[in-house]
Amino acid sequence: MSPISFFEKKFKKLFWNLLGWIISAKNKIVSAKIRSVLILRPDRLGDFVLSVPALEALQKKLGSSGQWTLVAGQPNADLAKFYFPRARVWVFKKNIFSRIGLWLRLWLDSFDAVIDLHSYPFSTTTALLSVLSGSPIRIGFLAKGDFQEYKDISKMVFKDGIEAPDENLSEVQKSFLLIKKLFPDAKLSASKRDLRSSSRETVKKIKFFYSQIGINSKDKVLGI
């Protein structure tokens, strides 16, 4: 381990131990009172797509009167707005000024609960976002395996967290496990979408891609 990595790990652990002093005590989850939810999924495009069924289940449970905010990475932002036009989509960018702006938005807003879909393996970035949200209910996976040293920290951050599942479990099911922690009676359901719901520019790009690889109107395309 390089000296920089060693001191970085030590600093992170010290940071979380200090932050633990200001994190609120545990409260019982009461789903009926959950009206505003923050979802963290600022990572890879593929993981976001695989989380869509779980997010649809969440949106269904919140109903038309519930509000939810989705923090998505730059590659996922347009797709997030397409799938979930009812949600507030906040974009997570890597530059420090954008991060500070996002931290302030989370700190100034109010959420009944936060679900960190990017909590396995343990992520300092999204764990910090979870705490800054000020949510009384914080749900994520507890650290294990190579990240075992963060288990106590993850218990502090995700005080309503659950044990991390087998690493071979699909991202669809991993995401749904966290949604069910908040809404135990939530259900997964298959969804079907048509290109006509997308923007003209998106449809144009997809049709061009199809023409390049020889797909025409007689072919059927299954998107996963």
Side-chain angles (χ1 to χ4, degrees):
M1 181 185 296
S2 69
I4 294 177
S5 298
F6 174 80
F7 286 111
E8 182 181 8
K9 290 183 70 173
K10 291 294 183 183
F11 174 78
K12 285 182 179 179
K13 292 189 73 172
L14 176 62
F15 170 78
W16 286 115
N17 287 330
L18 290 173
L19 194 61
W21 295 351
I22 62 172
I23 293 180
S24 59
K26 185 175 179 65
N27 297 312
K28 184 178 179 181
I29 296 177
V30 182
S31 298
K33 297 181 179 180
I34 305 298
R35 306 312 307 156
S36 177
V37 179
L38 171 67
I39 300 291
L40 304 176
R41 181 89 269 188
D43 48 341
R44 294 179 292 270
L45 178 61
D47 287 341
F48 171 80
V49 172
L50 291 174
S51 294
V52 166
L55 294 176
E56 290 179 328
L58 168 77
Q59 182 168 259
K60 187 173 182 180
K61 290 302 302 178
L62 282 173
S64 58
S65 60
Q67 181 187 64
W68 64 292
T69 303
L70 175 60
V71 175
Q74 282 184 281
N76 312 336
D78 288 340
L79 198 60
K81 293 173 183 176
F82 166 65
Y83 273 110
F84 305 109
R86 280 176 44 201
R88 293 189 302 180
V89 177
W90 292 353
V91 183
F92 176 84
K93 299 178 182 179
K94 293 187 176 181
N95 73 74
I96 187 61
F97 297 108
S98 295
R99 288 196 182 194
I100 292 173
L102 179 59
W103 295 342
L104 287 173
R105 292 180 80 176
L106 292 174
W107 186 59
L108 292 172
D109 214 309
S110 176
F111 306 97
D112 296 324
V114 56
I115 302 177
D116 185 353
L117 299 182
H118 187 46
S119 56
Y120 180 57
F122 182 80
S123 165
T124 298
T125 299
T126 53
L128 178 58
L129 296 178
S130 298
V131 173
L132 286 174
S133 72
S135 304
I137 298 169
R138 299 188 296 275
I139 299 172
F141 289 121
L142 304 180
K144 73 170 188 178
D146 294 340
F147 291 81
Q148 184 70 30
E149 62 182 300
Y150 289 103
K151 185 152 189 177
D152 289 341
I153 295 173
S154 66
K155 285 181 178 180
M156 177 182 66
V157 174
F158 305 117
K159 59 190 187 63
D160 304 290
I162 60 178
E163 293 294 330
D166 186 277
E167 61 182 14
N168 294 319
L169 188 69
S170 73
E171 197 65 36
V172 175
Q173 293 297 331
K174 286 177 184 175
S175 298
F176 189 57
L177 284 175
L178 297 173
I179 300 300
K180 281 187 71 68
K181 176 67 177 181
L182 187 62
F183 294 108
D185 58 344
K187 295 180 180 179
L188 281 176
S189 59
S191 61
K192 188 176 181 182
R193 297 189 179 274
D194 193 294
L195 280 181
R196 286 173 295 183
S197 300
S198 303
S199 68
R200 291 183 180 179
E201 187 62 28
T202 300
V203 173
K204 183 179 178 181
K205 289 179 180 178
I206 294 174
K207 286 184 175 180
F208 176 74
F209 171 71
Y210 285 170
S211 68
Q212 292 293 98
I213 60 176
I215 293 177
N216 57 49
S217 58
K218 294 181 180 180
D219 297 312
K220 291 185 178 180
V221 177
L222 174 64
I224 299 178

